[in-house]
Amino acid sequence: MTARLNRAARCAAAVLAVIAVGAGATACNSSDSSSSKAASSASSEAKGAADGAGKEVSGVKVDKMAQKGSRTDAINSTSAAASSGSERCHTGGLDYSWGLPHGGAPDMAAHNQQTAGIKLENNSGSTCTLHGFPGVRLISESGETWDLRRSGVEPTTVTLKPGEAASVPLDLLPVKRDLKDTKPFLVDKVMLTPPDETSHVTLDWPYGGAILDQSGATRPGTFVNPVAQG
């Protein structure tokens, strides 16, 4: 009888040991699974953060920011030149002059919006690209400055072979100098910084007249457009 009880006790102890081991294994598996899920989640979150960081510096976002501001260093997307296989055009590799692709000049005696153009010709000896908005600062005869806002036009990449030219269209709103209840801005010089560059050139204003001073306006009638072909 005692032998049978001892044998039953040993069997019960073995069963309990097996159950304990099984429970321990299940807990470990559960812990491993949670760790794996946590690691997977952390990896996904890290990837998402990395993707988000990439979007933060994407060309689209930066361009939209530039349209809201009035910077003169004209920082835009720096990926355009890389994607085209050509280096971007640098300030010193361009020649600058006034003129529209199809000729003509703004009528500064008009009462409606006019267009002037700055020509950028590639004299670098190699193909280069321009993409985005240049920085444009008007300087008045009295030394006042006005950093032009950007239009809502979507920029495109312009590729220039040696000797080819692009243009920067400026939309202007002329005004009579002596018109009552208006403030004329008498342009003397124009400072231009090509897209993605930090150095600038200064051109004399050749058209005379005056522009309606809307330097503090949210939607002025005088603004700069992105670089265009021709």
Side-chain angles (χ1 to χ4, degrees):
M1 180 68 175
T2 300
R4 289 180 181 177
L5 288 175
N6 289 339
R7 187 172 60 182
R10 287 196 301 272
C11 289
V15 170
L16 289 174
V18 171
I19 293 174
V21 171
T26 302
C28 289
N29 289 339
S30 175
S31 176
D32 288 345
S33 177
S34 298
S35 300
S36 177
K37 288 180 180 179
S40 176
S41 175
S43 176
S44 297
E45 289 176 4
K47 183 178 183 301
D51 291 342
K55 291 176 182 176
E56 287 296 322
V57 296
S58 70
V60 174
K61 180 168 185 179
V62 174
D63 282 344
K64 288 181 179 177
M65 290 174 65
Q67 290 177 30
K68 294 177 182 178
S70 56
R71 300 169 63 104
T72 56
D73 54 2
I75 296 177
N76 295 287
S77 170
T78 57
S79 62
S83 63
S84 68
S86 299
E87 186 179 4
R88 77 168 187 269
C89 301
H90 298 290
T91 305
L94 299 167
D95 286 332
Y96 306 85
S97 59
W98 289 97
L100 294 166
H102 303 293
D107 180 3
M108 299 306 294
H111 300 290
N112 59 315
Q113 201 170 51
Q114 300 289 304
T115 303
I118 301 176
K119 182 180 178 181
L120 283 62
E121 183 177 346
N122 180 12
N123 71 355
S124 67
S126 59
T127 299
C128 63
T129 61
L130 291 164
H131 180 91
F133 292 82
V136 176
R137 171 176 289 178
L138 306 183
I139 304 173
S140 74
E141 295 176 356
S142 60
E144 296 176 302
T145 61
W146 176 1
D147 294 341
L148 296 188
R149 288 186 175 272
R150 279 68 165 168
S151 72
V153 177
E154 187 71 22
T156 59
T157 299
V158 176
T159 301
L160 299 180
K161 295 179 181 178
E164 292 184 336
S167 62
V168 176
L170 305 177
D171 283 271
L172 315 169
L173 188 57
V175 66
K176 289 185 178 181
R177 297 187 182 206
D178 57 353
L179 190 64
K180 292 183 179 181
D181 301 323
T182 61
K183 182 183 178 183
F185 192 98
L186 308 179
V187 185
D188 180 50
K189 298 183 182 299
V190 176
M191 183 186 296
L192 182 140
T193 310
D196 295 305
E197 293 291 290
T198 55
S199 58
H200 63 268
V201 294
T202 301
L203 295 82
D204 292 327
W205 175 253
Y207 301 118
I211 297 172
L212 180 63
D213 190 343
Q214 296 179 308
S215 53
T218 304
R219 298 176 64 86
T222 298
F223 50 85
V224 58
N225 292 288
V227 177
Q229 191 78 48

